[in-house]
Amino acid sequence: MKRDVILPLIPLRELVSFPAAIIPILVGRERSINALKFAREKYNNYIFLSVQKNQISENPLAAEIADIGIIARVEKSAEQVNGSYRVIIQGMERAILREFLKEDEFFLVKVSTLEEITDTSKQLVELARDLISMFEEYVTLKKVRLHGIVAKLQANQVSEITDVIVSVINIPISIKQSLLEEL
């Protein structure tokens, strides 16, 4: 069911986050730190994450932020000596940015959740099993440490499988963003 939510936004540089993915990020820009603190104080640690279209912009404008991102929960955050924060994020669900409500000290946005299109056909489940198997080989060959995430992947959860895989593999940001936009 689609729902509207108001959340602080942290624009991401050089990173596209996905639902089902647990990722570490470094939050260092003043506006993003303010959004992180506001999320902790007023939004039960929920935030909206979306990639910047212009990766080198230090202070992106609203128009420079992708419309599709994710609602995420801040699981852990630790302030560093330089004032930045190391943060562990748990992706929750895809959402589309509808409106910027605040842009000065931090971005506050209205987003609408996006429903995943599900297909549980036998053929798709078999393809998902093959995909999990190939991903296990990739993780082994690349020596990627995922702390048991591969063992938790289930063939009937195709969307979760693809989100985890795409978040791990090394492909251009533009391709990752286009995959995030696929429901």
Side-chain angles (χ1 to χ4, degrees), residues 90-127:
Q90 167 71 59
M92 307 303 282
E93 59 188 311
R94 285 172 171 76
I96 184 167
L97 200 157
R98 296 287 185 203
E99 180 182 356
F100 282 84
L101 304 173
K102 181 180 175 80
E103 296 182 38
D104 47 4
E105 302 121 48
F106 62 92
F107 289 119
L108 186 65
V109 295
K110 179 179 181 180
V111 300
S112 298
T113 59
L114 297 170
E115 291 186 46
E116 299 284 334
I117 298 169
T118 57
D119 179 353
T120 55
S121 68
K122 184 178 177 184
Q123 183 181 12
L124 192 61
V125 171
E126 289 173 14
L127 287 170

PDB file of all heavy atoms in Angstrom, residues 90-127:
ATOM      1  N   GLN A  90      20.228   0.707   7.500  1.00  0.00           N
ATOM      2  CA  GLN A  90      19.456  -0.459   7.047  1.00  0.00           C
ATOM      3  C   GLN A  90      18.391   0.055   6.085  1.00  0.00           C
ATOM      4  O   GLN A  90      17.492   0.796   6.478  1.00  0.00           O
ATOM      5  CB  GLN A  90      18.780  -1.154   8.232  1.00  0.00           C
ATOM      6  CG  GLN A  90      17.719  -2.168   7.851  1.00  0.00           C
ATOM      7  CD  GLN A  90      18.269  -3.427   7.221  1.00  0.00           C
ATOM      8  OE1 GLN A  90      19.060  -4.125   7.820  1.00  0.00           O
ATOM      9  NE2 GLN A  90      17.853  -3.716   6.005  1.00  0.00           N
ATOM     10  N   GLY A  91      18.511  -0.324   4.807  1.00  0.00           N
ATOM     11  CA  GLY A  91      17.505   0.066   3.829  1.00  0.00           C
ATOM     12  C   GLY A  91      16.187  -0.607   4.133  1.00  0.00           C
ATOM     13  O   GLY A  91      16.157  -1.770   4.533  1.00  0.00           O
ATOM     14  N   MET A  92      15.088   0.112   3.928  1.00  0.00           N
ATOM     15  CA  MET A  92      13.770  -0.431   4.244  1.00  0.00           C
ATOM     16  C   MET A  92      12.910  -0.614   2.986  1.00  0.00           C
ATOM     17  O   MET A  92      12.498  -1.719   2.692  1.00  0.00           O
ATOM     18  CB  MET A  92      13.034   0.487   5.230  1.00  0.00           C
ATOM     19  CG  MET A  92      13.829   0.804   6.493  1.00  0.00           C
ATOM     20  SD  MET A  92      14.336  -0.625   7.430  1.00  0.00           S
ATOM     21  CE  MET A  92      12.854  -1.038   8.263  1.00  0.00           C
ATOM     22  N   GLU A  93      12.658   0.487   2.260  1.00  0.00           N
ATOM     23  CA  GLU A  93      11.803   0.384   1.080  1.00  0.00           C
ATOM     24  C   GLU A  93      12.055   1.548   0.126  1.00  0.00           C
ATOM     25  O   GLU A  93      12.515   2.601   0.521  1.00  0.00           O
ATOM     26  CB  GLU A  93      10.323   0.307   1.460  1.00  0.00           C
ATOM     27  CG  GLU A  93       9.810   1.480   2.259  1.00  0.00           C
ATOM     28  CD  GLU A  93       8.396   1.261   2.767  1.00  0.00           C
ATOM     29  OE1 GLU A  93       7.514   0.870   1.970  1.00  0.00           O
ATOM     30  OE2 GLU A  93       8.174   1.482   3.970  1.00  0.00           O
ATOM     31  N   ARG A  94      11.747   1.292  -1.147  1.00  0.00           N
ATOM     32  CA  ARG A  94      11.876   2.321  -2.179  1.00  0.00           C
ATOM     33  C   ARG A  94      10.817   3.398  -1.971  1.00  0.00           C
ATOM     34  O   ARG A  94       9.709   3.113  -1.518  1.00  0.00           O
ATOM     35  CB  ARG A  94      11.684   1.711  -3.562  1.00  0.00           C
ATOM     36  CG  ARG A  94      12.852   0.901  -4.046  1.00  0.00           C
ATOM     37  CD  ARG A  94      12.485   0.182  -5.351  1.00  0.00           C
ATOM     38  NE  ARG A  94      13.620  -0.440  -5.974  1.00  0.00           N
ATOM     39  CZ  ARG A  94      14.195  -1.568  -5.566  1.00  0.00           C
ATOM     40  NH1 ARG A  94      13.717  -2.203  -4.523  1.00  0.00           N
ATOM     41  NH2 ARG A  94      15.244  -2.059  -6.201  1.00  0.00           N
ATOM     42  N   ALA A  95      11.186   4.619  -2.349  1.00  0.00           N
ATOM     43  CA  ALA A  95      10.231   5.729  -2.270  1.00  0.00           C
ATOM     44  C   ALA A  95      10.584   6.752  -3.340  1.00  0.00           C
ATOM     45  O   ALA A  95      11.717   6.801  -3.823  1.00  0.00           O
ATOM     46  CB  ALA A  95      10.264   6.362  -0.881  1.00  0.00           C
ATOM     47  N   ILE A  96       9.587   7.559  -3.680  1.00  0.00           N
ATOM     48  CA  ILE A  96       9.797   8.618  -4.656  1.00  0.00           C
ATOM     49  C   ILE A  96       9.638   9.964  -3.955  1.00  0.00           C
ATOM     50  O   ILE A  96       8.715  10.152  -3.158  1.00  0.00           O
ATOM     51  CB  ILE A  96       8.837   8.488  -5.864  1.00  0.00           C
ATOM     52  CG1 ILE A  96       9.156   9.545  -6.914  1.00  0.00           C
ATOM     53  CG2 ILE A  96       7.381   8.540  -5.438  1.00  0.00           C
ATOM     54  CD1 ILE A  96       8.485   9.305  -8.254  1.00  0.00           C
ATOM     55  N   LEU A  97      10.562  10.849  -4.240  1.00  0.00           N
ATOM     56  CA  LEU A  97      10.557  12.174  -3.648  1.00  0.00           C
ATOM     57  C   LEU A  97       9.441  12.999  -4.300  1.00  0.00           C
ATOM     58  O   LEU A  97       9.425  13.147  -5.510  1.00  0.00           O
ATOM     59  CB  LEU A  97      11.932  12.816  -3.885  1.00  0.00           C
ATOM     60  CG  LEU A  97      12.325  13.963  -2.999  1.00  0.00           C
ATOM     61  CD1 LEU A  97      13.831  14.085  -2.971  1.00  0.00           C
ATOM     62  CD2 LEU A  97      11.706  15.249  -3.409  1.00  0.00           C
ATOM     63  N   ARG A  98       8.528  13.484  -3.506  1.00  0.00           N
ATOM     64  CA  ARG A  98       7.390  14.245  -4.020  1.00  0.00           C
ATOM     65  C   ARG A  98       7.570  15.754  -3.867  1.00  0.00           C
ATOM     66  O   ARG A  98       7.144  16.520  -4.713  1.00  0.00           O
ATOM     67  CB  ARG A  98       6.098  13.833  -3.297  1.00  0.00           C
ATOM     68  CG  ARG A  98       5.698  12.415  -3.530  1.00  0.00           C
ATOM     69  CD  ARG A  98       5.163  12.245  -4.925  1.00  0.00           C
ATOM     70  NE  ARG A  98       4.664  10.890  -5.097  1.00  0.00           N
ATOM     71  CZ  ARG A  98       4.538  10.307  -6.266  1.00  0.00           C
ATOM     72  NH1 ARG A  98       4.858  10.950  -7.353  1.00  0.00           N
ATOM     73  NH2 ARG A  98       4.104   9.094  -6.349  1.00  0.00           N
ATOM     74  N   GLU A  99       8.190  16.167  -2.727  1.00  0.00           N
ATOM     75  CA  GLU A  99       8.247  17.601  -2.459  1.00  0.00           C
ATOM     76  C   GLU A  99       9.339  17.913  -1.432  1.00  0.00           C
ATOM     77  O   GLU A  99       9.538  17.162  -0.486  1.00  0.00           O
ATOM     78  CB  GLU A  99       6.870  18.023  -1.909  1.00  0.00           C
ATOM     79  CG  GLU A  99       6.711  19.450  -1.576  1.00  0.00           C
ATOM     80  CD  GLU A  99       5.322  19.748  -1.002  1.00  0.00           C
ATOM     81  OE1 GLU A  99       4.459  18.843  -0.926  1.00  0.00           O
ATOM     82  OE2 GLU A  99       5.116  20.916  -0.620  1.00  0.00           O
ATOM     83  N   PHE A 100      10.032  19.027  -1.642  1.00  0.00           N
ATOM     84  CA  PHE A 100      10.985  19.538  -0.663  1.00  0.00           C
ATOM     85  C   PHE A 100      10.217  20.494   0.246  1.00  0.00           C
ATOM     86  O   PHE A 100       9.640  21.469  -0.221  1.00  0.00           O
ATOM     87  CB  PHE A 100      12.148  20.265  -1.341  1.00  0.00           C
ATOM     88  CG  PHE A 100      13.163  19.338  -1.907  1.00  0.00           C
ATOM     89  CD1 PHE A 100      12.990  18.785  -3.171  1.00  0.00           C
ATOM     90  CD2 PHE A 100      14.296  18.981  -1.182  1.00  0.00           C
ATOM     91  CE1 PHE A 100      13.920  17.902  -3.695  1.00  0.00           C
ATOM     92  CE2 PHE A 100      15.227  18.101  -1.695  1.00  0.00           C
ATOM     93  CZ  PHE A 100      15.047  17.564  -2.956  1.00  0.00           C
ATOM     94  N   LEU A 101      10.206  20.216   1.550  1.00  0.00           N
ATOM     95  CA  LEU A 101       9.489  21.042   2.511  1.00  0.00           C
ATOM     96  C   LEU A 101      10.414  22.038   3.202  1.00  0.00           C
ATOM     97  O   LEU A 101       9.955  23.062   3.702  1.00  0.00           O
ATOM     98  CB  LEU A 101       8.816  20.153   3.562  1.00  0.00           C
ATOM     99  CG  LEU A 101       7.872  19.073   3.014  1.00  0.00           C
ATOM    100  CD1 LEU A 101       7.409  18.161   4.127  1.00  0.00           C
ATOM    101  CD2 LEU A 101       6.695  19.720   2.299  1.00  0.00           C
ATOM    102  N   LYS A 102      11.702  21.709   3.240  1.00  0.00           N
ATOM    103  CA  LYS A 102      12.696  22.540   3.922  1.00  0.00           C
ATOM    104  C   LYS A 102      14.025  22.319   3.233  1.00  0.00           C
ATOM    105  O   LYS A 102      14.366  21.191   2.890  1.00  0.00           O
ATOM    106  CB  LYS A 102      12.750  22.123   5.399  1.00  0.00           C
ATOM    107  CG  LYS A 102      13.700  22.887   6.279  1.00  0.00           C
ATOM    108  CD  LYS A 102      13.607  22.335   7.705  1.00  0.00           C
ATOM    109  CE  LYS A 102      14.605  22.950   8.633  1.00  0.00           C
ATOM    110  NZ  LYS A 102      14.261  24.249   9.142  1.00  0.00           N
ATOM    111  N   GLU A 103      14.794  23.395   3.030  1.00  0.00           N
ATOM    112  CA  GLU A 103      16.069  23.261   2.334  1.00  0.00           C
ATOM    113  C   GLU A 103      17.214  24.029   2.985  1.00  0.00           C
ATOM    114  O   GLU A 103      18.320  24.000   2.489  1.00  0.00           O
ATOM    115  CB  GLU A 103      15.929  23.730   0.875  1.00  0.00           C
ATOM    116  CG  GLU A 103      14.983  22.908   0.052  1.00  0.00           C
ATOM    117  CD  GLU A 103      14.903  23.367  -1.391  1.00  0.00           C
ATOM    118  OE1 GLU A 103      15.946  23.754  -1.955  1.00  0.00           O
ATOM    119  OE2 GLU A 103      13.796  23.348  -1.954  1.00  0.00           O
ATOM    120  N   ASP A 104      16.987  24.728   4.084  1.00  0.00           N
ATOM    121  CA  ASP A 104      18.040  25.569   4.637  1.00  0.00           C
ATOM    122  C   ASP A 104      19.062  24.792   5.477  1.00  0.00           C
ATOM    123  O   ASP A 104      20.125  24.447   4.983  1.00  0.00           O
ATOM    124  CB  ASP A 104      17.465  26.769   5.387  1.00  0.00           C
ATOM    125  CG  ASP A 104      16.333  26.373   6.348  1.00  0.00           C
ATOM    126  OD1 ASP A 104      16.045  25.173   6.486  1.00  0.00           O
ATOM    127  OD2 ASP A 104      15.744  27.291   6.951  1.00  0.00           O
ATOM    128  N   GLU A 105      18.761  24.490   6.745  1.00  0.00           N
ATOM    129  CA  GLU A 105      19.741  23.777   7.582  1.00  0.00           C
ATOM    130  C   GLU A 105      19.922  22.316   7.170  1.00  0.00           C
ATOM    131  O   GLU A 105      20.954  21.712   7.389  1.00  0.00           O
ATOM    132  CB  GLU A 105      19.317  23.796   9.055  1.00  0.00           C
ATOM    133  CG  GLU A 105      19.124  25.150   9.667  1.00  0.00           C
ATOM    134  CD  GLU A 105      17.694  25.296  10.187  1.00  0.00           C
ATOM    135  OE1 GLU A 105      17.206  24.398  10.885  1.00  0.00           O
ATOM    136  OE2 GLU A 105      17.088  26.329   9.879  1.00  0.00           O
ATOM    137  N   PHE A 106      18.859  21.740   6.607  1.00  0.00           N
ATOM    138  CA  PHE A 106      18.876  20.373   6.090  1.00  0.00           C
ATOM    139  C   PHE A 106      17.680  20.218   5.173  1.00  0.00           C
ATOM    140  O   PHE A 106      16.782  21.057   5.156  1.00  0.00           O
ATOM    141  CB  PHE A 106      18.849  19.326   7.218  1.00  0.00           C
ATOM    142  CG  PHE A 106      17.617  19.387   8.079  1.00  0.00           C
ATOM    143  CD1 PHE A 106      16.503  18.619   7.785  1.00  0.00           C
ATOM    144  CD2 PHE A 106      17.568  20.218   9.189  1.00  0.00           C
ATOM    145  CE1 PHE A 106      15.369  18.668   8.566  1.00  0.00           C
ATOM    146  CE2 PHE A 106      16.437  20.276   9.977  1.00  0.00           C
ATOM    147  CZ  PHE A 106      15.333  19.502   9.666  1.00  0.00           C
ATOM    148  N   PHE A 107      17.673  19.124   4.400  1.00  0.00           N
ATOM    149  CA  PHE A 107      16.528  18.843   3.542  1.00  0.00           C
ATOM    150  C   PHE A 107      15.490  18.062   4.340  1.00  0.00           C
ATOM    151  O   PHE A 107      15.815  17.069   4.982  1.00  0.00           O
ATOM    152  CB  PHE A 107      16.933  17.983   2.338  1.00  0.00           C
ATOM    153  CG  PHE A 107      17.761  18.688   1.305  1.00  0.00           C
ATOM    154  CD1 PHE A 107      19.042  18.241   1.006  1.00  0.00           C
ATOM    155  CD2 PHE A 107      17.264  19.785   0.611  1.00  0.00           C
ATOM    156  CE1 PHE A 107      19.806  18.864   0.037  1.00  0.00           C
ATOM    157  CE2 PHE A 107      18.017  20.418  -0.363  1.00  0.00           C
ATOM    158  CZ  PHE A 107      19.292  19.964  -0.647  1.00  0.00           C
ATOM    159  N   LEU A 108      14.248  18.516   4.273  1.00  0.00           N
ATOM    160  CA  LEU A 108      13.119  17.773   4.806  1.00  0.00           C
ATOM    161  C   LEU A 108      12.197  17.554   3.608  1.00  0.00           C
ATOM    162  O   LEU A 108      11.862  18.515   2.909  1.00  0.00           O
ATOM    163  CB  LEU A 108      12.403  18.555   5.910  1.00  0.00           C
ATOM    164  CG  LEU A 108      11.287  17.807   6.642  1.00  0.00           C
ATOM    165  CD1 LEU A 108      11.846  16.618   7.433  1.00  0.00           C
ATOM    166  CD2 LEU A 108      10.526  18.741   7.571  1.00  0.00           C
ATOM    167  N   VAL A 109      11.832  16.304   3.361  1.00  0.00           N
ATOM    168  CA  VAL A 109      11.098  15.988   2.137  1.00  0.00           C
ATOM    169  C   VAL A 109       9.858  15.147   2.424  1.00  0.00           C
ATOM    170  O   VAL A 109       9.785  14.439   3.420  1.00  0.00           O
ATOM    171  CB  VAL A 109      11.990  15.241   1.119  1.00  0.00           C
ATOM    172  CG1 VAL A 109      13.131  16.124   0.646  1.00  0.00           C
ATOM    173  CG2 VAL A 109      12.531  13.940   1.700  1.00  0.00           C
ATOM    174  N   LYS A 110       8.921  15.268   1.504  1.00  0.00           N
ATOM    175  CA  LYS A 110       7.745  14.388   1.504  1.00  0.00           C
ATOM    176  C   LYS A 110       8.002  13.339   0.438  1.00  0.00           C
ATOM    177  O   LYS A 110       8.329  13.680  -0.702  1.00  0.00           O
ATOM    178  CB  LYS A 110       6.488  15.179   1.170  1.00  0.00           C
ATOM    179  CG  LYS A 110       5.231  14.345   1.135  1.00  0.00           C
ATOM    180  CD  LYS A 110       4.037  15.236   0.821  1.00  0.00           C
ATOM    181  CE  LYS A 110       2.756  14.446   0.797  1.00  0.00           C
ATOM    182  NZ  LYS A 110       1.612  15.320   0.485  1.00  0.00           N
ATOM    183  N   VAL A 111       7.897  12.070   0.809  1.00  0.00           N
ATOM    184  CA  VAL A 111       8.108  10.971  -0.127  1.00  0.00           C
ATOM    185  C   VAL A 111       6.898  10.047  -0.095  1.00  0.00           C
ATOM    186  O   VAL A 111       6.149  10.015   0.882  1.00  0.00           O
ATOM    187  CB  VAL A 111       9.397  10.166   0.189  1.00  0.00           C
ATOM    188  CG1 VAL A 111      10.624  11.059   0.122  1.00  0.00           C
ATOM    189  CG2 VAL A 111       9.315   9.469   1.531  1.00  0.00           C
ATOM    190  N   SER A 112       6.722   9.309  -1.179  1.00  0.00           N
ATOM    191  CA  SER A 112       5.684   8.284  -1.251  1.00  0.00           C
ATOM    192  C   SER A 112       6.365   6.937  -1.445  1.00  0.00           C
ATOM    193  O   SER A 112       7.245   6.807  -2.306  1.00  0.00           O
ATOM    194  CB  SER A 112       4.744   8.536  -2.436  1.00  0.00           C
ATOM    195  OG  SER A 112       4.072   9.754  -2.295  1.00  0.00           O
ATOM    196  N   THR A 113       5.960   5.966  -0.656  1.00  0.00           N
ATOM    197  CA  THR A 113       6.542   4.635  -0.801  1.00  0.00           C
ATOM    198  C   THR A 113       6.123   4.034  -2.134  1.00  0.00           C
ATOM    199  O   THR A 113       5.075   4.375  -2.678  1.00  0.00           O
ATOM    200  CB  THR A 113       6.116   3.704   0.348  1.00  0.00           C
ATOM    201  OG1 THR A 113       4.696   3.606   0.365  1.00  0.00           O
ATOM    202  CG2 THR A 113       6.631   4.208   1.687  1.00  0.00           C
ATOM    203  N   LEU A 114       6.959   3.159  -2.657  1.00  0.00           N
ATOM    204  CA  LEU A 114       6.690   2.482  -3.925  1.00  0.00           C
ATOM    205  C   LEU A 114       6.510   0.997  -3.657  1.00  0.00           C
ATOM    206  O   LEU A 114       7.305   0.392  -2.939  1.00  0.00           O
ATOM    207  CB  LEU A 114       7.845   2.706  -4.905  1.00  0.00           C
ATOM    208  CG  LEU A 114       8.090   4.158  -5.313  1.00  0.00           C
ATOM    209  CD1 LEU A 114       9.391   4.282  -6.092  1.00  0.00           C
ATOM    210  CD2 LEU A 114       6.927   4.672  -6.140  1.00  0.00           C
ATOM    211  N   GLU A 115       5.495   0.423  -4.232  1.00  0.00           N
ATOM    212  CA  GLU A 115       5.236  -1.003  -4.041  1.00  0.00           C
ATOM    213  C   GLU A 115       6.038  -1.829  -5.032  1.00  0.00           C
ATOM    214  O   GLU A 115       6.079  -1.514  -6.220  1.00  0.00           O
ATOM    215  CB  GLU A 115       3.745  -1.299  -4.204  1.00  0.00           C
ATOM    216  CG  GLU A 115       2.922  -0.719  -3.085  1.00  0.00           C
ATOM    217  CD  GLU A 115       1.473  -1.139  -3.161  1.00  0.00           C
ATOM    218  OE1 GLU A 115       1.216  -2.340  -3.372  1.00  0.00           O
ATOM    219  OE2 GLU A 115       0.623  -0.256  -3.008  1.00  0.00           O
ATOM    220  N   GLU A 116       6.643  -2.875  -4.533  1.00  0.00           N
ATOM    221  CA  GLU A 116       7.383  -3.805  -5.381  1.00  0.00           C
ATOM    222  C   GLU A 116       6.393  -4.645  -6.185  1.00  0.00           C
ATOM    223  O   GLU A 116       5.334  -5.015  -5.680  1.00  0.00           O
ATOM    224  CB  GLU A 116       8.235  -4.754  -4.535  1.00  0.00           C
ATOM    225  CG  GLU A 116       9.284  -4.068  -3.678  1.00  0.00           C
ATOM    226  CD  GLU A 116      10.477  -3.596  -4.469  1.00  0.00           C
ATOM    227  OE1 GLU A 116      10.758  -4.173  -5.535  1.00  0.00           O
ATOM    228  OE2 GLU A 116      11.133  -2.654  -4.018  1.00  0.00           O
ATOM    229  N   ILE A 117       6.744  -4.931  -7.420  1.00  0.00           N
ATOM    230  CA  ILE A 117       5.944  -5.843  -8.236  1.00  0.00           C
ATOM    231  C   ILE A 117       6.481  -7.240  -7.961  1.00  0.00           C
ATOM    232  O   ILE A 117       7.675  -7.486  -8.107  1.00  0.00           O
ATOM    233  CB  ILE A 117       6.067  -5.489  -9.727  1.00  0.00           C
ATOM    234  CG1 ILE A 117       5.527  -4.071  -9.960  1.00  0.00           C
ATOM    235  CG2 ILE A 117       5.336  -6.509 -10.578  1.00  0.00           C
ATOM    236  CD1 ILE A 117       5.835  -3.515 -11.329  1.00  0.00           C
ATOM    237  N   THR A 118       5.611  -8.139  -7.533  1.00  0.00           N
ATOM    238  CA  THR A 118       6.074  -9.480  -7.178  1.00  0.00           C
ATOM    239  C   THR A 118       5.625 -10.505  -8.209  1.00  0.00           C
ATOM    240  O   THR A 118       4.541 -10.416  -8.769  1.00  0.00           O
ATOM    241  CB  THR A 118       5.557  -9.896  -5.787  1.00  0.00           C
ATOM    242  OG1 THR A 118       4.137  -9.821  -5.796  1.00  0.00           O
ATOM    243  CG2 THR A 118       6.115  -8.999  -4.699  1.00  0.00           C
ATOM    244  N   ASP A 119       6.504 -11.459  -8.437  1.00  0.00           N
ATOM    245  CA  ASP A 119       6.229 -12.561  -9.363  1.00  0.00           C
ATOM    246  C   ASP A 119       6.783 -13.811  -8.699  1.00  0.00           C
ATOM    247  O   ASP A 119       7.983 -13.885  -8.429  1.00  0.00           O
ATOM    248  CB  ASP A 119       6.916 -12.303 -10.708  1.00  0.00           C
ATOM    249  CG  ASP A 119       6.696 -13.422 -11.715  1.00  0.00           C
ATOM    250  OD1 ASP A 119       6.118 -14.469 -11.349  1.00  0.00           O
ATOM    251  OD2 ASP A 119       7.119 -13.251 -12.865  1.00  0.00           O
ATOM    252  N   THR A 120       5.942 -14.750  -8.406  1.00  0.00           N
ATOM    253  CA  THR A 120       6.386 -15.966  -7.714  1.00  0.00           C
ATOM    254  C   THR A 120       6.301 -17.193  -8.618  1.00  0.00           C
ATOM    255  O   THR A 120       6.179 -18.316  -8.138  1.00  0.00           O
ATOM    256  CB  THR A 120       5.545 -16.205  -6.439  1.00  0.00           C
ATOM    257  OG1 THR A 120       4.162 -16.242  -6.815  1.00  0.00           O
ATOM    258  CG2 THR A 120       5.790 -15.123  -5.411  1.00  0.00           C
ATOM    259  N   SER A 121       6.394 -16.981  -9.915  1.00  0.00           N
ATOM    260  CA  SER A 121       6.326 -18.113 -10.830  1.00  0.00           C
ATOM    261  C   SER A 121       7.491 -19.070 -10.586  1.00  0.00           C
ATOM    262  O   SER A 121       8.558 -18.672 -10.130  1.00  0.00           O
ATOM    263  CB  SER A 121       6.329 -17.630 -12.281  1.00  0.00           C
ATOM    264  OG  SER A 121       7.582 -17.059 -12.593  1.00  0.00           O
ATOM    265  N   LYS A 122       7.262 -20.329 -10.911  1.00  0.00           N
ATOM    266  CA  LYS A 122       8.267 -21.368 -10.693  1.00  0.00           C
ATOM    267  C   LYS A 122       9.557 -21.048 -11.457  1.00  0.00           C
ATOM    268  O   LYS A 122      10.651 -21.214 -10.933  1.00  0.00           O
ATOM    269  CB  LYS A 122       7.706 -22.717 -11.141  1.00  0.00           C
ATOM    270  CG  LYS A 122       8.637 -23.873 -10.865  1.00  0.00           C
ATOM    271  CD  LYS A 122       8.011 -25.199 -11.281  1.00  0.00           C
ATOM    272  CE  LYS A 122       8.989 -26.331 -11.068  1.00  0.00           C
ATOM    273  NZ  LYS A 122       8.466 -27.600 -11.551  1.00  0.00           N
ATOM    274  N   GLN A 123       9.418 -20.541 -12.681  1.00  0.00           N
ATOM    275  CA  GLN A 123      10.591 -20.215 -13.503  1.00  0.00           C
ATOM    276  C   GLN A 123      11.434 -19.117 -12.842  1.00  0.00           C
ATOM    277  O   GLN A 123      12.659 -19.203 -12.814  1.00  0.00           O
ATOM    278  CB  GLN A 123      10.157 -19.778 -14.902  1.00  0.00           C
ATOM    279  CG  GLN A 123      11.327 -19.494 -15.821  1.00  0.00           C
ATOM    280  CD  GLN A 123      10.864 -19.027 -17.209  1.00  0.00           C
ATOM    281  OE1 GLN A 123       9.700 -18.717 -17.403  1.00  0.00           O
ATOM    282  NE2 GLN A 123      11.788 -18.980 -18.135  1.00  0.00           N
ATOM    283  N   LEU A 124      10.783 -18.119 -12.289  1.00  0.00           N
ATOM    284  CA  LEU A 124      11.511 -17.033 -11.646  1.00  0.00           C
ATOM    285  C   LEU A 124      12.226 -17.510 -10.385  1.00  0.00           C
ATOM    286  O   LEU A 124      13.358 -17.113 -10.117  1.00  0.00           O
ATOM    287  CB  LEU A 124      10.567 -15.875 -11.327  1.00  0.00           C
ATOM    288  CG  LEU A 124      11.251 -14.577 -10.918  1.00  0.00           C
ATOM    289  CD1 LEU A 124      12.152 -14.052 -12.038  1.00  0.00           C
ATOM    290  CD2 LEU A 124      10.224 -13.531 -10.553  1.00  0.00           C
ATOM    291  N   VAL A 125      11.591 -18.374  -9.634  1.00  0.00           N
ATOM    292  CA  VAL A 125      12.213 -18.930  -8.422  1.00  0.00           C
ATOM    293  C   VAL A 125      13.466 -19.736  -8.800  1.00  0.00           C
ATOM    294  O   VAL A 125      14.499 -19.640  -8.140  1.00  0.00           O
ATOM    295  CB  VAL A 125      11.214 -19.768  -7.605  1.00  0.00           C
ATOM    296  CG1 VAL A 125      11.910 -20.523  -6.480  1.00  0.00           C
ATOM    297  CG2 VAL A 125      10.109 -18.874  -7.050  1.00  0.00           C
ATOM    298  N   GLU A 126      13.387 -20.504  -9.881  1.00  0.00           N
ATOM    299  CA  GLU A 126      14.554 -21.269 -10.346  1.00  0.00           C
ATOM    300  C   GLU A 126      15.679 -20.338 -10.783  1.00  0.00           C
ATOM    301  O   GLU A 126      16.848 -20.571 -10.468  1.00  0.00           O
ATOM    302  CB  GLU A 126      14.153 -22.195 -11.489  1.00  0.00           C
ATOM    303  CG  GLU A 126      13.292 -23.368 -11.045  1.00  0.00           C
ATOM    304  CD  GLU A 126      12.750 -24.195 -12.210  1.00  0.00           C
ATOM    305  OE1 GLU A 126      13.238 -24.036 -13.344  1.00  0.00           O
ATOM    306  OE2 GLU A 126      11.837 -24.994 -11.973  1.00  0.00           O
ATOM    307  N   LEU A 127      15.331 -19.278 -11.498  1.00  0.00           N
ATOM    308  CA  LEU A 127      16.344 -18.283 -11.893  1.00  0.00           C
ATOM    309  C   LEU A 127      16.965 -17.625 -10.666  1.00  0.00           C
ATOM    310  O   LEU A 127      18.172 -17.371 -10.634  1.00  0.00           O
ATOM    311  CB  LEU A 127      15.731 -17.226 -12.809  1.00  0.00           C
ATOM    312  CG  LEU A 127      15.421 -17.652 -14.225  1.00  0.00           C
ATOM    313  CD1 LEU A 127      14.607 -16.577 -14.941  1.00  0.00           C
ATOM    314  CD2 LEU A 127      16.692 -17.958 -14.996  1.00  0.00           C
TER     315      LEU A 127
END
